[in-house]
């Protein structure tokens, strides 16, 4: 009877390879192996316990890593939490890089010289800016309401308006941290639109806006050219805010993603559009514009307590998950955008979406059952839960 030893050997090799592939797949599912790389190498995170390290175990473990040409990124030791028979046991944490094909056998080899060899999960944190210059990368737009894409936008059929919007977008995309803020020569038509919005809103502020807003608005009229025949320049407004609360402005091309917008607040930077809504609809805009930013947001950012609250939301957003970003955006929506408060027994507006919209502002204090939220930091965590998300059709007018 003849035996095909070559066939048996081949089957063993195939079985061994299959076993290794299953092990690698298992590590991937656990999140402890990052093997999605073109160079065929994998990042591996391990914990293990070495016993009697005064003898030979440490050197034997080191030789195993060396044998597989492992690149060590991080190596950390501490006295074992649960020493079994010796006080010389060490718990070891290793973050390393090895060829993907060697992962399984590396772990098997380590198990021969160490105990409790385990892979652990590394939670991947989304990218976030670490310095103010990184905000140059925070320019991802939500284009649902862009005049070139939204058939319902007042400027959808106006080629000149869309060309003007493209001009503003180029300014914002080409801006870099530290550059002078773009100076805009607004057209007569744009100033006429601003004039109509400014007149109507400023007539409501004395009776409908909160005290903090009124104080700042008066200062903006005095120092930053806030008047019905002039659209303030971002440079003047940014300088004013910097002196008052440390906030500064940078140009934005449109409605930013919640993650990018909130991240900017962490650095006390407010991303502000410079274009203005279409002249055919001065009392309504489906997206933020300079009326919304300059009349709605800027005055409140001049208040120190409110500025701190805004930055706190931004700081909380850095590295947060998508679910956490959604909660923070909801908090922002119901406070910074559409917040009401009670002062001297009367309901007043402090939300930018109210303060930049004649219709919203006129009716908001008389609404029954509407939530009135202050921006006290002590209540921030309470507001993060239990709120429905902002409605997708929200208006910025």
């Amino acid at each position: 009877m003849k035996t095909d030893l070559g066939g048996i050997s081949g089957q063993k090799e195939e079985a061994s390879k299959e076993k290794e592939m299953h092990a690698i797949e298992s590590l991937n599912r656990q999140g402890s192996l990052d093997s999605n790389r073109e160079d065929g190498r994998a990042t591996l995170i391990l914990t293990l316990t070495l016993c009697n390290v005064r003898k030979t175990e440490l050197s034997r473990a080191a030789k195993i890593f060396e044998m597989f040409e492992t690149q060590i990124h991080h190596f950390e030791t501490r006295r074992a939490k649960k020493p079994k028979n010796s006080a010389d046991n060490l718990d070891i944490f290793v973050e390393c890089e090895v060829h993907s094909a060697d992962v399984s056998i590396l772990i098997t080899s380590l198990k021969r010289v160490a105990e409790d060899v385990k892979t652990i999960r590394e939670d991947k944190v989304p990218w976030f800016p670490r310095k103010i210059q990184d905000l140059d990368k925070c320019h991802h737009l939500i284009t649902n309401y862009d005049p070139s894409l939204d058939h319902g936008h007042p400027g959808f059929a106006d080629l000149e308006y869309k060309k003007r919007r493209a001009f503003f977008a180029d300014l914002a995309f080409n801006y870099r941290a530290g550059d002078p803020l773009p100076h805009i020569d607004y057209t007569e038509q744009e100033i006429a639109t601003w004039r109509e919005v400014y007149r109507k809103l400023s007539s409501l502020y004395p009776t409908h806006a909160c005290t903090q807003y009124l104080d700042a608005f008066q200062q903006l009229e005095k120092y930053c050219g806030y008047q019905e025949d002039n659209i303030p320049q971002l440079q003047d407004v940014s300088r004013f805010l910097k002196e008052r609360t440390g906030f500064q402005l940078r140009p934005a091309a449109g409605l930013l993603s919640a993650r990018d917008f909130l991240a900017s607040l962490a650095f006390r930077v407010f991303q502000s559009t410079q274009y203005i809504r279409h002249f055919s609809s001065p009392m309504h805009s489906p997206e933020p514009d300079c009326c919304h930013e300059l009349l709605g947001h800027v005055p409140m950012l001049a208040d120190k307590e409110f500025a701190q609250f805004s930055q706190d939301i931004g700081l909380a957003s850095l590295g947060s998950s998508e679910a956490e970003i959604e909660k923070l955006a909801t908090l922002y929506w119901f406070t910074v955008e559409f917040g009401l408060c009670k002062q001297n027994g009367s309901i007043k507006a402090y939300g930018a979406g109210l303060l930049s919209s004649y219709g919203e502002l006129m009716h908001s204090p008389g609404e029954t059952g509407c939530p009135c939220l202050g921006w006290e930091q002590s209540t921030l965590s309470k507001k993060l839960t239990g709120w429905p998300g902002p409605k997708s059709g929200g208006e910025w007018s």
Side-chain angles (χ1 to χ4, degrees):
M1 179 176 170
K2 298 177 81 174
T3 304
D4 187 355
L5 297 177
I8 294 175
S9 176
Q11 291 174 6
K12 287 184 176 180
E13 289 181 7
E14 289 296 324
S16 177
K17 289 180 180 179
E18 185 177 351
K19 185 176 181 180
E20 288 183 14
M21 289 304 298
H22 282 309
I24 293 173
E25 289 174 4
S26 175
L27 291 172
N28 271 317
R29 286 194 299 270
Q30 295 172 29
S32 53
L33 173 65
D34 178 14
S35 59
N36 187 24
R37 293 174 46 167
E38 295 180 357
D39 60 3
R41 295 182 69 79
T43 300
L44 187 64
I45 300 174
L46 297 164
T47 59
L48 52 103
T49 300
L50 290 177
C51 303
N52 300 315
V53 291
R54 291 183 181 176
K55 298 180 181 179
T56 60
E57 280 72 10
L58 187 58
S59 61
R60 289 170 65 188
K63 285 181 180 179
I64 291 173
F65 285 113
E66 183 180 356
M67 181 173 61
F68 290 100
E69 299 179 349
T70 307
Q71 183 178 354
I72 305 293
H73 295 307
H74 187 83
F75 189 93
E76 186 176 330
T77 65
R78 68 181 180 189
R79 187 177 297 277
K81 287 184 177 180
K82 298 179 180 179
K84 295 183 178 180
N85 300 318
S86 171
D88 296 328
N89 295 353
L90 283 182
D91 287 337
I92 296 179
F93 172 92
V94 184
E95 181 180 356
C96 60
E97 188 179 298
V98 66
H99 197 281
S100 298
D102 294 332
V103 170
S104 181
I105 192 167
L106 169 67
I107 294 173
T108 300
S109 300
L110 286 172
K111 287 181 177 179
R112 293 173 182 157
V113 300
E115 298 182 4
D116 297 327
V117 178
K118 298 176 182 177
T119 58
I120 64 173
R121 182 179 184 86
E122 179 186 29
D123 292 327
K124 294 183 179 179
V125 176
W127 179 89
F128 62 90
R130 287 171 167 77
K131 54 185 183 295
I132 199 167
Q133 289 79 8
D134 290 342
L135 297 183
D136 293 341
K137 303 174 185 177
C138 296
H139 50 59
H140 300 93
L141 297 178
I142 306 299
T143 58
N144 300 39
Y145 309 110
D146 188 276
S148 297
L149 302 174
D150 178 14
H151 290 247
H153 194 288
F156 178 75
D158 189 336
L159 295 181
E160 284 301 316
Y161 181 76
K162 290 195 284 188
K163 182 179 178 181
R164 182 70 166 162
R165 286 290 299 272
F167 164 76
F168 284 107
D170 286 342
L171 288 179
F173 284 131
N174 290 320
Y175 179 85
R176 295 294 178 266
D179 290 349
L181 289 167
H183 181 94
I184 305 298
D185 292 322
Y186 287 100
T187 66
E188 290 184 8
Q189 189 176 72
E190 289 169 336
I191 294 174
T193 301
W194 166 269
R195 181 187 302 115
E196 186 170 354
V197 175
Y198 194 91
R199 279 179 180 174
K200 288 197 172 183
L201 285 172
S202 59
S203 68
L204 288 181
Y205 290 154
T207 53
H208 289 65
C210 68
T211 302
Q212 291 85 346
Y213 182 94
L214 294 174
D215 291 343
F217 191 76
Q218 184 180 21
Q219 295 297 307
L220 287 163
E221 287 187 315
K222 184 176 181 180
Y223 297 111
C224 296
Y226 269 56
Q227 52 190 4
E228 63 181 41
D229 293 322
N230 178 68
I231 302 177
Q233 297 291 333
L234 289 195
Q235 186 67 53
D236 297 331
V237 177
S238 185
R239 189 183 302 113
F240 172 83
L241 288 177
K242 186 77 172 177
E243 293 174 355
R244 292 287 293 259
T245 61
F247 255 89
Q248 55 188 306
L249 305 180
R250 68 171 288 154
L255 178 59
L256 294 176
S257 70
R259 182 178 294 279
D260 284 355
F261 179 78
L262 295 179
S264 302
L265 297 178
F267 296 85
R268 295 211 171 202
V269 172
F270 184 85
Q271 300 234 24
S272 174
T273 55
Q274 290 185 284
Y275 58 82
I276 196 164
R277 60 196 61 184
H278 195 261
F279 67 90
S280 67
S281 182
M283 292 298 112
H284 163 73
S285 176
E287 58 182 340
D289 71 333
C290 67
C291 294
H292 175 73
E293 323 285 30
L294 296 173
L295 298 176
H297 283 288
V298 166
M300 290 306 301
L301 288 173
D303 179 79
K304 290 183 178 180
E305 187 178 3
F306 188 84
Q308 183 62 56
F309 173 72
S310 299
Q311 184 184 26
D312 286 343
I313 299 177
L315 289 169
S317 77
L318 298 180
S320 292
S321 66
E322 289 302 319
E324 291 166 336
I325 290 292
E326 186 177 350
K327 284 186 176 183
L328 289 166
T330 301
L331 168 64
Y332 190 89
W333 184 265
F334 285 108
T335 53
V336 179
E337 288 294 349
F338 290 97
L340 293 166
C341 61
K342 187 171 287 187
Q343 292 182 334
N344 300 321
S346 299
I347 295 175
K348 303 292 183 179
Y350 70 88
L354 300 174
L355 292 161
S356 61
S357 169
Y358 181 81
E360 297 274 5
L361 186 58
M362 183 171 60
H363 296 292
S364 59
E367 299 239 356
T368 57
C370 56
C372 299
L373 293 180
W375 55 86
E376 294 82 0
Q377 297 167 53
S378 61
T379 61
L380 184 142
S381 60
K382 185 187 299 182
K383 297 170 194 167
L384 278 174
T385 58
W387 284 95
K391 300 191 182 300
S392 58
E395 297 178 357
W396 301 87
S397 54

